[in-house]
Amino acid sequence: MTAYDIHHEALEASSAVTSRPRSGKVHRRLREQRFWTALPPVNACYPHVARVEVAISDPGDRVRTWLADREAAEKLVRIAPQTTTALHRRHLFTSRVIEHALSLGITQFLELGSGDPHISAAHATVSRAQTHPAPTIVLVDHDPIVYARAWADEQERPEQWRRSTFVEGNVFAIGAMLNSLTAQGLLDPSQRVCVLAVDILHFAEPEIDIRTVPRRLARRLAPGSLFAATHLTAEPLPAPASTTTRTRLRTTTTEWCRAHHRCARPYPRPRSHADFTGLFTGLDLLAPGITTPGHWPAPDNTHRPRAPYTLAAVGRVRTPLSSQTSPDPRRRAHEG
């Protein structure tokens, strides 16, 4: 029996006695996203988006997914046949961002909401990078089953985890997360970091202001650090060819999001272009600005987008104005 089998059985056993009281459930969900160590209860009764994505990526995987996950994946693909392609394009975007960051000399990476490391493009790209010094990455996810899978994978294939570290915690608790990673020696905020928030922000509860994620990161990370994000939307990026195209995208996106309600929370919520653009306020947007995962770093000129349709962009942390304009202390002393 493998390490993963042992943890798999333990998690299934614990889920059978996990109670999910209806009273105060909204408060509990908010707590799970606002506090670094407030993790969700183990729940094997419902599909989970991390396992569902494994099922979408590899429908024949019977080790990392359960029947409910595969059924949920089949429904999502049935509603939006572009789902599998969208997942592939997301991985492509992640790999391209990491390669671009490496070309700039950035060697620290932080993936928020990593999901199952078996299909993590970030984990794979950093592991095979040929740059010197070798890059490192911290994968953060708050799901106990994902953590168990990562732990077991590391025990069975330690050579693939020499540059990667998986940490269990809430990715929306930015301050506490950075404090914890810094204290553990996993991240050095004084050096540039590339943060990957790929297909995670649209899972925030409505009461969570996702604009605070890049703002807090920008305040804590070194100038020149990168923030890469994608987000689900129901609006075509360029002007659509017809009203029918716009209506079809909005209708399919709504149905696709509703299908997630058979999964364990949280659920995806699309946002507008304006909302997504607002995430990068205070950051320098890299060319081409707002685009889509499959096209970055080129603009998206697709006039007939299909759901699930996501926006993508990469921002750079600016050098503080005081650092740019502070006078020579010797000159200031002379003038005084």
Side-chain angles (χ1 to χ4, degrees):
M1 179 177 288
T2 66
Y4 177 62
D5 293 328
I6 296 173
H7 274 257
H8 200 286
E9 290 185 357
L11 289 168
E12 284 186 312
S14 64
S15 67
V17 298
T18 297
S19 61
R20 297 177 65 90
R22 298 182 62 87
S23 60
K25 59 183 180 180
V26 174
H27 173 75
R28 185 193 67 236
R29 293 199 306 266
L30 289 177
R31 180 176 177 80
E32 289 168 5
Q33 290 197 345
R34 282 178 172 162
F35 297 94
W36 171 241
T37 58
L39 305 177
V42 176
N43 192 330
C45 301
Y46 297 95
H48 188 278
V49 65
R51 299 191 304 271
V52 171
E53 288 185 348
V54 174
I56 293 172
S57 179
D58 183 5
D61 193 322
R62 297 295 189 271
V63 176
R64 298 172 179 84
T65 65
W66 297 325
L67 177 61
D69 305 315
R70 297 190 290 274
E71 290 176 343
E74 290 172 359
K75 183 172 183 178
L76 291 174
V77 173
R78 188 164 56 249
I79 293 171
Q82 190 78 359
T83 298
T84 303
T85 301
L87 184 60
H88 170 72
R89 289 174 176 171
R90 184 184 87 185
H91 295 329
L92 184 63
F93 170 72
T94 298
S95 297
R96 286 174 174 171
V97 170
I98 291 176
E99 290 166 359
H100 176 71
L102 289 171
S103 71
L104 298 176
I106 297 175
T107 59
Q108 295 186 107
F109 295 87
L110 172 62
E111 184 177 33
L112 308 182
S114 62
D116 194 310
H118 178 66
I119 63 168
S120 169
H123 172 56
T125 304
V126 169
S127 297
R128 64 171 179 260
Q130 299 298 314
T131 56
H132 181 78
T136 59
I137 185 169
V138 179
L139 312 167
V140 182
D141 201 292
H142 77 164
D143 183 69
I145 297 177
V146 169
Y147 176 76
R149 174 58 201 157
W151 180 89
D153 193 60
E154 183 178 5
Q155 302 307 306
E156 295 174 9
R157 296 183 292 181
E159 71 283 355
Q160 296 187 14
W161 284 83
R162 289 176 299 174
R163 302 176 181 176
S164 303
T165 303
F166 192 99
V167 176
E168 189 176 24
N170 167 29
V171 299
F172 294 103
I174 298 299
M177 176 182 67
L178 293 179
N179 289 340
S180 177
L181 299 182
T182 302
Q184 296 179 64
L186 299 176
L187 206 67
D188 181 2
S190 68
Q191 302 298 315
R192 291 177 299 168
V193 181
C194 177
V195 181
L196 304 161
V198 180
D199 281 10
I200 182 64
L201 299 178
H202 52 236
F203 283 102
E205 294 291 344
E207 294 81 2
I208 300 292
D209 184 358
I210 63 172
R211 294 174 301 178
T212 63
V213 173
R215 288 175 186 172
R216 292 175 180 173
L217 287 168
R219 286 199 296 264
R220 297 285 299 272
L221 299 181
S225 293
L226 300 182
F227 173 74
T230 64
H231 202 294
L232 183 69
T233 186
E235 300 177 0
L237 188 55
S242 66
T243 303
T244 302
T245 299
R246 185 168 55 250
T247 302
R248 182 185 298 116
L249 177 61
R250 183 171 59 249
T251 301
T252 306
T253 300
T254 299
E255 187 178 357
W256 189 82
C257 289
R258 188 178 296 122
H260 281 79
H261 287 208
R262 68 188 297 175
C263 302
R265 281 183 174 272
Y267 307 138
R269 293 175 176 82
R271 285 182 171 83
S272 67
H273 295 171
D275 288 341
F276 182 71
T277 303
L279 291 175
F280 296 87
T281 300
L283 299 174
D284 292 327
L285 266 179
L286 302 191
I290 307 300
T291 183
T292 55
H295 287 81
W296 192 90
D300 184 351
N301 297 315
T302 304
H303 290 281
R304 293 185 178 179
R306 291 181 290 174
Y309 187 61
T310 55
L311 303 174
V314 180
R316 181 176 52 239
V317 177
R318 297 171 178 169
T319 300
L321 189 60
S322 59
S323 299
Q324 299 175 343
T325 61
S326 57
D328 187 326
R330 293 170 297 179
R331 178 183 175 186
R332 184 171 53 195
H334 176 72
E335 292 175 344

